[in-house]
Amino acid sequence: MPRSGMDENELLLRHTATWASAKGRTLDHDLLATALALWTGREGHFAQLWPIGSAETLLLQHWPSHEPIRGQDVEVLVATLETFWRFLRGTGRLRSDSAEPKALAKEARRAAPKMVMVSDDPRPSGPVTIEEALTEWGEALVEDAEFDRELQEEIDEHDLYEQSRHDETWALLPDSHDGWAADPPLEASAREARQSPFIQECLRFARWVGDGRRITNGVLRPEQVREAQVEFKLGAWEREFLARSPLAHTAAPFSSSRHGHVPAGLLGELDHLVTTRALQSLWNACAATDLIQVGSTTARATSAADRAHTRSPDDWAELGQEALITAVMTRHFFEPLEPVLRVLFPFLREGVDRVEMSDVRDWWWVHEVNPWAGLGLGILQAHRSSDRQADRLLWAMDDTGLWQRDGETLHRTALGMDVAMRLMSDPSAFLDVG
């Protein structure tokens, strides 16, 4: 039965107002009261629990179905929510399984441009337009620099590395009873990086950027995006991604706002935002590996993208690791990383040279963070959606070289082992919301 949360909300409102006044932060009492009423009153969310995807769910689903909102009020609402989330963190009230305030605020700012549009029609009929996707992408880039500068401070203060770990996932790693697999030969990692279809597309994309592409707000212009989509067949990837939706076979039109308290992003319910996802994975990987340099008005390829550029085995292995970690984070968006880690982490165990898809599906179905079982879909539909989600998240990485697929079997690669080691030793990768 949904919790009203009214008494608790009023108390939180008063404490937040006092805290905001002392800190000099923006707070609109009425907007925050409405936000908390929507968040706690409909689905029984806790006012102190805000996981990844919850800001998108509130702004793009709960609020539009309540009332339209004007553009200037959206800006105040986002600032007010950020104040509230910082208040919860600063006073120890934010529940441990919540996202960090900076990540939530970043997510809310990305949702803000779409909020007025969604308020007019809360039912996304299909992917957003290229222009809308580029607006979202550009505004997100503006926030990334500040987010990255402040992330280490948050990690140090609140031990975010430990909060990003789920016991069932990290238990996949070798322990005192298991042997660790031998480190893969550097030459094997380098060879697989050179042969990775995704890495080759990154190099080709950087050469396509060439001597200079004009950009606006840090991203390509619409006509260039359309050119890239044709040149690199990006639309085919996005159409296949959408066709593999875990929601495609539910019996009736599905909305997480009507099925429990799971954020929409965890379910793949934000697929209408997929436009430019394939392009972003190339762009982000090229930028992360210095194949392109992005200036204020122009993006250019670096000498590292030249066909004549020579790389040592170390260089190829590093290029592969950086590019593939970036691809994982970009392509997964707000969906869980656990199915991918269920493949990669066992590769580090001695004697494990392959993982079966059936094992991944079964493990994901009973995982503590699997969102499907409690949605009221019926056990068969929920299980099917869970399986489809695992299948899609692994399909999305099939072109990278993290593994070699043979039907339902994913074979270990040296490059996949390298990436698994990086993700194990640097959990900050899990804190990136896209």
Side-chain angles (χ1 to χ4, degrees):
M1 179 177 179
R3 300 162 53 253
S4 67
M6 291 306 296
D7 292 341
E8 181 182 6
N9 288 355
E10 287 298 333
L11 184 61
L12 281 173
L13 282 166
R14 290 198 296 270
H15 287 318
T16 305
T18 301
W19 185 89
S21 178
K23 298 289 186 179
R25 299 195 66 90
T26 299
L27 183 74
D28 185 296
H29 180 280
D30 292 341
L31 289 176
L32 182 57
T34 300
L36 292 181
L38 291 171
W39 187 243
T40 63
R42 289 188 175 186
E43 321 298 343
H45 298 287
F46 290 100
Q48 302 92 340
L49 176 60
W50 295 85
I52 288 176
S54 54
E56 289 254 10
T57 299
L58 173 66
L59 299 186
L60 298 183
Q61 294 186 32
H62 294 345
W63 199 295
S65 65
H66 167 67
E67 64 180 3
I69 187 168
R70 297 175 300 174
Q72 59 267 38
D73 289 337
V74 172
E75 296 178 8
V76 177
L77 172 60
V78 170
T80 292
L81 287 170
E82 181 174 8
T83 295
F84 177 65
W85 294 322
R86 287 178 178 271
F87 157 75
L88 292 178
R89 166 58 74 192
T91 59
R93 290 176 169 88
L94 190 66
R95 290 176 62 129
S96 61
D97 42 355
S98 296
E100 281 302 300
K102 289 184 179 66
L104 290 167
K106 181 180 179 183
E107 181 183 315
R109 286 192 289 271
R110 290 187 178 188
K114 298 183 288 291
M115 191 177 179
V116 175
M117 176 185 68
V118 176
S119 292
D120 293 334
D121 182 2
R123 300 164 301 170
S125 57
V128 297
T129 66
I130 286 176
E131 288 77 8
E132 291 164 346
L134 291 179
T135 297
E136 176 200 5
W137 185 6
E139 291 177 347
L141 289 174
V142 172
E143 300 149 16
D144 280 344
E146 179 183 356
F147 182 81
D148 291 340
R149 284 195 302 269
E150 296 177 346
L151 180 59
Q152 189 61 50
E153 177 185 339
E154 292 283 341
I155 290 171
D156 293 340
E157 183 177 356
H158 301 298
D159 200 9
L160 299 191
Y161 286 164
E162 290 304 317
Q163 292 180 29
S164 71
R165 298 172 184 256
H166 298 293
D167 290 344
E168 292 178 60
T169 304
W170 292 84
L172 297 167
L173 293 166
D175 57 25
S176 58
H177 302 292
D178 300 303
W180 286 79
D183 292 341
L186 176 62
E187 292 75 12
S189 299
R191 181 181 65 254
E192 290 172 3
R194 287 196 302 271
Q195 294 173 350
S196 163
F198 178 74
I199 299 297
Q200 287 301 315
E201 283 297 89
C202 286
L203 292 166
R204 194 163 74 89
F205 179 78
R207 291 192 288 269
W208 175 84
V209 171
D211 293 335
R213 296 274 178 172
R214 301 291 292 177
I215 59 176
T216 302
N217 295 327
V219 300
L220 292 170
R221 295 176 177 179
E223 62 273 14
Q224 295 171 330
V225 171
R226 293 185 176 93
E227 180 184 341
Q229 285 186 323
V230 173
E231 177 67 24
F232 297 94
K233 298 180 174 60
L234 304 179
W237 187 94
E238 290 169 358
R239 287 190 296 273
E240 181 68 16
F241 186 86
L242 290 170
R244 291 173 174 267
S245 168
L247 301 170
H249 293 279
T250 52
F254 179 87
S255 171
S256 61
S257 64
R258 297 194 300 273
H259 291 274
H261 57 277
V262 178
L266 289 179
L267 306 176
E269 199 181 350
L270 300 179
D271 275 1
H272 60 288
L273 306 180
V274 75
T275 304
T276 76
R277 184 84 55 82
L279 173 61
Q280 286 186 53
S281 66
L282 289 173
W283 180 275
N284 292 344
C286 286
T289 55
D290 294 322
L291 293 175
I292 63 173
Q293 291 181 340
V294 182
S296 57
T297 60
T298 306
R300 290 185 172 86
T302 68
S303 60
D306 292 345
R307 294 183 184 276
H309 183 79
T310 58
R311 289 182 175 84
S312 68
D314 273 319
D315 292 336
W316 274 111
E318 180 68 18
L319 173 66
Q321 293 172 37
E322 291 292 340
L324 298 197
I325 289 174
T326 303
V328 170
M329 301 309 161
T330 305
R331 291 181 173 182
H332 278 61
F333 202 41
F334 289 117
E335 290 190 71
L337 286 170
E338 271 69 25
V340 167
L341 298 181
R342 174 59 181 83
V343 178
L344 293 180
F345 280 177
F347 285 169
L348 300 179
R349 291 175 178 260
E350 186 178 19
V352 177
D353 63 355
R354 68 195 67 186
V355 171
E356 298 297 330
M357 286 294 303
S358 58
D359 293 336
V360 178
R361 296 185 193 106
D362 291 345
W363 178 86
W364 174 232
W365 171 240
V366 298
H367 195 284
E368 61 180 330
V369 300
N370 186 300
W372 296 100
L375 294 179
L377 287 175
I379 189 68
L380 293 179
Q381 286 198 359
H383 205 157
R384 187 174 188 184
S385 291
S386 174
D387 289 351
R388 285 180 64 86
Q389 182 171 54
D391 289 348
R392 179 167 81 161
L393 294 177
L394 298 183
W395 167 85
M397 304 309 299
D398 274 351
D399 65 336
T400 62
L402 288 175
W403 48 74
Q404 288 294 324
R405 180 185 288 271
D406 180 11
E408 289 280 287
T409 302
L410 306 181
H411 293 272
R412 184 171 70 183
T413 63
L415 193 54
M417 293 179 68
D418 290 342
V419 170
M421 287 294 296
R422 285 282 295 272
L423 291 174
M424 179 192 71
S425 61
D426 182 14
S428 64
F430 297 107
L431 305 177
D432 188 358
V433 297

